[in-house]
Amino acid sequence: MVGAGLGAVWGSFLGCADYRWPRGLSVRHPAHSYCPGCQRQLQIQDLLPLWSYLYQRGKCPACGYAYGARYFKFELFLAAWGAVCGAWAGLTFAALAIFAFGVLLVTGAVWW
């Protein structure tokens, strides 16, 4: 379960980076997440991996701008990958290394 949570969080971060880096935007704090449709700064409840997308039906709660399902799928895939790594090796360095290697492969496939 911990592996799935960590995978979803990494998927959320990498989805953010996937959107921001090509546009020359920062991924570091205090660069707050915002809705591309209305520029509203997203609140903490809007940023929970997987849950926020499902709860808000993939749309901004303020303007109804539809977020792409690509980010949800990426978070879901990395959550599943984290769960598999955690189930296979537990909370060990080996599980973390295998998870990181998988993340690098998937990120490379998505970005290049």
Side-chain angles (χ1 to χ4, degrees):
M1 191 66 161
V2 173
L6 292 174
V9 169
W10 269 106
S12 180
F13 171 75
L14 292 173
C16 171
D18 179 48
Y19 178 83
R20 291 181 181 194
W21 280 340
R23 292 166 177 81
L25 302 172
S26 174
V27 293
R28 294 176 16 164
H29 184 74
H32 298 289
S33 295
Y34 61 91
C35 170
C38 65
Q39 306 301 315
R40 174 185 157 273
Q41 182 178 329
L42 299 179
Q43 304 301 312
I44 191 72
Q45 66 268 18
D46 303 327
L47 298 171
L48 298 173
L50 300 173
W51 169 254
S52 296
Y53 187 89
L54 293 173
Y55 181 73
Q56 297 167 356
R57 295 186 173 97
K59 297 181 181 178
C60 173
C63 71
Y65 177 86
Y67 302 127
R70 173 184 182 181
Y71 304 107
F72 175 77
K73 290 176 185 177
F74 195 62
E75 289 176 9
L76 184 62
F77 178 79
L78 288 184
W81 178 240
V84 167
C85 291
W88 176 72
L91 290 175
T92 63
F93 181 75
L96 182 61
I98 292 169
F99 176 77
F101 182 69
V103 168
L104 288 174
L105 289 178
V106 170
T107 304
V110 169
W111 283 345
W112 288 285

